[in-house]
Structures are given as C-alpha cells and as structure tokens.
Amino acid sequence: MKRLLHKYSHAWVFLYFPIYLIWFYFLEQTVTEEYHIVHTKLDDFIPFNELFIIPYLLWFAFIAAVMLYFFFTNKRDFYRICIFLFVGMTVCLLIYTIWPNGHNLRPNLATLGRDNLFVRLVGFIYAADTPTNVCPSIHVLNSVGCCIAIFHSSSLKNKRFLRAATLILTVAICASTVFLKQHSCFDVFCGLLLALVMHWLAYLPKFSRIPEEIHETSTI
C-alpha cells in the first residue's frame, strides 16, 4: 500500500475538482439576470443541429480518458495536462466572476417541428446547464488541451490513427458548441486563444525534476 501511494502520489491534483465544482455551481446560481450578452453576426448564420449532441457529450469521456491515461502512464505529461486544464479553467472562472456573461442563442425546442432522441438530449443539457458563464468556452479549452497532450506525447507519436481521430473529435466538439447554441463563436475564439496561452505555459517549461514514466506505457 505504501509503495502504491508513493507511485500515484500525483493524485493530489484531483483535489482541484471540488474547488472548481463549488465555484462553478456558485456562479451558475448567482449569474442569472445581470450579465453581458455575448453575440456575433456569425452566430446568426449557424443553424441549430441536434446531431452535434453526439460529439458534445463525447467531450466528457474524452477528457476523462486522456487524463486517466497520462495519470497511469506518464507523470510528467499528467502534470502538464493538469497545468493546462486546471489553470485554464481557473482563468475562465475568474473571467466569469469579474465579467458575468451569457447568451440568448438557444432555440425553443418545442417549436422545432421535430422530436427525436437527439433533441431530447439537447433539452436535457439545456435544463442542466444555464446559458451563462460561457466565455471563454471551457468545452473548447479542455478539448484542445487534451488534443495537444496527445500530440506532445512521445509514447503516442506513432499512433497515427489515434492522433487523427483525436484531431477530428476535437474539431467536432468545438463545432458542436455553436451548432447546439451552447456557445457563441466569440466564446470559441476566446477558448482557442486561452488554449494558446496555456500551451505556452504547460509545455514550454522543462519539468526536469518530474519523473517521466511511472511504468511502461500501455499500447493503444
């Protein structure tokens, strides 16, 4: 047990999640009326398409799978992706707190003229997630972060199919945020801009004191 605790001592970083969830929940409950409306003219030309709920929901599995992969295989890459995601998410929360924002892009699902599983799933997302605290988009930030982590991984550099699939999924997730009217194009742009900053922060410094491998990297 002692050896196991030492091997996975980097699990302490998961303590960030309760802090994030409490902060985000607080903002969801308090930012309800007075907030800046985020909107661009491009948003008006993008049609609502419920099929994009598929990549939108895959985001949750994507983030969890990438983080767990590096947690069990490469401590250095795990710390880097945590710096990318957790610092980036904290910046987003700070922006939401200082500059409350939201949008009014969501369509009335009852008047779409169609009812299917995908529309109902979108309705579930709408009910669970308010159209506030949207800029920058955390969906975009985290998706790009996980994609960058995979592309930076030395153990995955020869996995061409995986890297291609990751890139396609990342683009699809980013697109889903605007086709589901969960975000404005401006939210996506700001999420990408923040991802560039986080990439510089997480991957340019040399973490020479962090052991690179926990054990042999599993094959995918």
Side-chain angles (χ1 to χ4, degrees):
M1 178 63 70
K2 187 175 181 180
R3 184 167 53 187
L4 188 65
L5 290 174
H6 176 72
K7 187 176 184 179
Y8 298 112
S9 59
H10 50 298
W12 68 268
V13 298
F14 290 124
L15 293 173
Y16 172 79
F17 283 115
I19 299 173
Y20 169 80
L21 291 173
I22 292 172
W23 192 350
F24 186 79
Y25 179 77
F26 171 78
L27 292 175
E28 285 286 280
Q29 298 301 309
T30 56
V31 182
T32 56
E33 295 181 359
E34 296 183 3
Y35 53 84
H36 182 83
I37 297 295
V38 181
H39 182 268
T40 69
K41 291 184 178 180
L42 183 59
D43 296 323
D44 299 330
F45 293 97
I46 299 177
F48 171 83
N49 190 318
E50 68 270 21
L51 292 179
F52 278 92
I53 192 65
I54 298 174
Y56 188 87
L57 292 179
L58 283 176
W59 176 84
F60 297 95
F62 178 44
I63 304 303
V66 173
M67 290 198 68
L68 289 176
Y69 173 79
F70 289 118
F71 175 79
F72 286 111
T73 62
N74 192 304
K75 186 181 291 188
R76 180 181 297 177
D77 285 345
F78 175 73
Y79 275 126
R80 282 175 168 168
I81 191 174
C82 286
I83 290 172
F84 190 112
L85 301 187
F86 295 173
V87 174
M89 290 159 68
T90 301
V91 171
C92 288
L93 292 178
L94 284 171
I95 292 174
Y96 303 159
T97 303
I98 298 171
W99 182 60
N101 59 76
H103 67 75
N104 52 7
L105 300 171
R106 290 179 175 180
N108 185 344
L109 298 181
T111 62
L112 280 179
R114 57 185 183 273
D115 181 28
N116 53 55
L117 174 62
F118 304 116
V119 172
R120 294 178 185 179
L121 287 174
V122 174
F124 173 79
I125 293 297
Y126 282 3
D129 185 20
T130 68
T132 58
N133 309 310
V134 295
C135 184
S137 169
I138 292 179
H139 239 70
V140 171
L141 172 72
N142 288 1
S143 300
V144 174
C146 286
C147 183
I148 288 174
I150 288 176
F151 273 74
H152 270 281
S153 173
S154 58
S155 61
L156 300 177
K157 63 181 180 180
N158 294 323
K159 308 293 184 180
R160 294 182 179 179
F161 176 80
L162 175 65
R163 287 156 65 97
T166 298
L167 182 59
I168 292 172
L169 178 59
T170 299
V171 172
I173 290 173
C174 293
S176 74
T177 63
V178 294
F179 279 97
L180 293 180
K181 302 303 178 179
Q182 278 289 81
H183 285 281
S184 163
C185 293
F186 187 71
D187 305 337
V188 174
F189 171 78
C190 292
L192 293 173
L193 183 62
L194 181 56
L196 288 176
V197 176
M198 289 303 107
H199 175 254
W200 174 84
L201 178 65
Y203 288 93
L204 288 190
K206 301 297 183 181
F207 299 103
S208 57
R209 296 184 180 181
I210 300 176
E212 183 170 352
E213 296 295 335
I214 298 175
H215 54 68
E216 289 296 323
T217 304
S218 58
T219 58
I220 293 182

